[in-house]
């Protein structure tokens, strides 16, 4: 069967885990990069998302390439930064994994919308996905920029024609939406577990669109949201 624009990502997902079930750095980053050609088809509407994905994958790749053996497992970067108390830095790899995962949450939700709502325009699908994922983490300026960009989304019919030049694109898009989210969810869960120290109470809840986590600081009796910037 002839491949589709989703085929490289779907094939790449088969190599994300080690035989022991650990998340491997390079295969995970490769899958995130392999979906970029599909994002390109959205044109200017996805420029900001593509930039963020590119920036964070580059940061993580640079770290991985500095010592492929040491950083073969994705979470080793987080563990090291946690021990050095640098995980919360804006340029940390922990922060990079967090924002890369959030961006991919958005991409998955966008594809889900295109599958579930054939009557929606691409702008409708983008706007809804943004509201369910990234919007809650963005300030006013970033949110406004995304809102404007999404209005530049291509015509749905033309977009689907561009990505369906060969193979069962709808079927592969559905496979992507089913196969990739568990890896993203694992990232979220690991980050919360690692961020929470012994004095924190960890709780994890799910909703139909994305996972949310929180932890309680007993010393200050304040609820902190994991979804706030690290």
């Amino acid at each position: 069967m002839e491949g589709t624009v989703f085929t490289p990502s779907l094939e790449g997902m088969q190599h994300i885990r080690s035989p022991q079930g650990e998340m491997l750095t390079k295969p995970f980053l490769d899958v995130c990069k392999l979906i970029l050609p599909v994002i390109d088809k959205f044109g200017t509407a996805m420029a900001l998302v593509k930039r963020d994905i590119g920036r964070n994958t580059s940061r993580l790749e640079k770290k991985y390439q500095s010592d492929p053996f040491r950083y073969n497992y994705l979470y080793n970067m987080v563990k090291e930064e946690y021990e050095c108390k640098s995980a919360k830095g804006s340029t940390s790899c922990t922060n990079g994994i967090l924002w890369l995962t959030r961006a991919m949450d958005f991409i998955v939700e966008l594809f889900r919308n295109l599958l579930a709502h054939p009557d929606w325009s691409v702008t409708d699908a983008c706007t809804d996905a943004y509201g369910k994922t990234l919007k809650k983490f963005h300030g006013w300026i970033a949110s406004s920029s995304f809102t404007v960009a999404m209005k530049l989304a291509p015509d749905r019919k033309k977009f689907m024609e561009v990505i369906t030049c060969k193979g069962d694109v709808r079927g592969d898009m559905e496979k992507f939406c089913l196969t990739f989210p568990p890896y993203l969810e694992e990232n979220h869960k690991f980050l919360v577990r690692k961020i929470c120290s012994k004095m924190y109470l960890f709780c994890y809840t799910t909703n139909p669109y994305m996972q949310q986590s929180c932890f309680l600081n007993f010393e200050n009796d304040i609820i902190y949201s994991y979804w706030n910037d690290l």
Side-chain angles (χ1 to χ4, degrees):
M1 182 181 292
E2 196 170 18
T4 71
V5 290
F6 288 93
T7 298
S9 293
L10 292 173
E11 292 178 345
M13 287 183 211
Q14 300 175 25
H15 308 290
I16 288 180
R17 293 191 190 282
S18 70
Q20 294 75 35
E22 300 249 19
M23 190 87 76
L24 296 172
T25 302
K26 189 176 185 304
F28 175 76
L29 296 179
D30 284 346
V31 170
C32 292
K33 291 192 299 180
L34 287 169
I35 203 63
L36 290 178
V38 185
I39 297 174
D40 278 337
K41 306 301 183 185
F42 288 93
T44 308
M46 290 292 113
L48 294 174
V49 175
K50 182 181 177 182
R51 182 199 65 187
D52 285 349
I53 292 173
R55 179 174 57 191
N56 287 309
T57 53
S58 294
R59 180 192 307 178
L60 297 170
E61 280 186 323
K62 183 177 180 181
K63 187 72 169 181
Y64 166 76
Q65 291 168 359
S66 70
D67 193 335
F69 179 79
R70 185 175 188 177
Y71 301 118
N72 184 44
Y73 299 127
L74 184 65
Y75 301 151
N76 282 356
M77 299 180 188
V78 179
K79 293 174 183 177
E80 181 179 84
E81 291 179 343
Y82 178 78
E83 294 300 325
C84 296
K85 303 187 185 301
S86 61
K88 293 186 178 182
S90 61
T91 60
S92 70
C93 288
T94 302
N95 196 54
I97 294 171
L98 172 62
W99 280 102
L100 177 59
T101 302
R102 288 172 173 174
M104 298 313 296
D105 283 335
F106 166 73
I107 296 301
V108 169
E109 195 60 40
L110 170 56
F111 291 148
R112 283 175 177 164
N113 282 344
L114 292 174
L115 289 167
H117 304 283
D119 57 323
W120 282 13
S121 67
V122 176
T123 295
D124 291 336
C126 289
T127 302
D128 183 80
Y130 179 66
K132 292 173 181 174
T133 56
L134 289 170
K135 186 175 182 179
K136 65 188 70 179
F137 313 122
H138 284 169
W140 182 84
I141 295 177
S143 182
S144 297
S145 297
F146 266 80
T147 299
V148 172
M150 288 182 289
K151 291 180 180 179
L152 302 175
D155 173 77
R156 182 187 177 110
K157 183 179 179 180
K158 291 181 179 179
F159 170 75
M160 294 306 295
E161 287 176 351
V162 169
I163 67 170
T164 56
C165 56
K166 58 182 180 179
D168 180 13
V169 170
R170 183 179 178 84
D172 278 2
M173 187 185 295
E174 187 172 358
K175 288 178 185 177
F176 181 86
C177 292
L178 289 172
T179 309
F180 200 38
Y183 298 112
L184 304 178
E185 181 176 352
E186 183 174 337
N187 284 353
H188 288 308
K189 287 182 176 180
F190 177 83
L191 288 172
V192 174
R193 287 199 306 269
K194 199 61 190 174
I195 292 169
C196 299
S197 64
K198 293 181 180 179
M199 67 179 177
Y200 290 105
L201 173 67
F202 165 65
C203 67
Y204 189 81
T205 61
T206 60
N207 63 37
Y209 305 117
M210 67 186 300
Q211 293 70 41
Q212 293 185 347
S213 309
C214 62
F215 48 96
L216 175 63
N217 183 323
F218 290 107
E219 290 185 335
N220 299 319
D221 195 30
I222 300 174
I223 295 291
Y224 290 89
S225 171
Y226 157 69
W227 295 115
N228 289 332
D229 293 350
L230 289 175

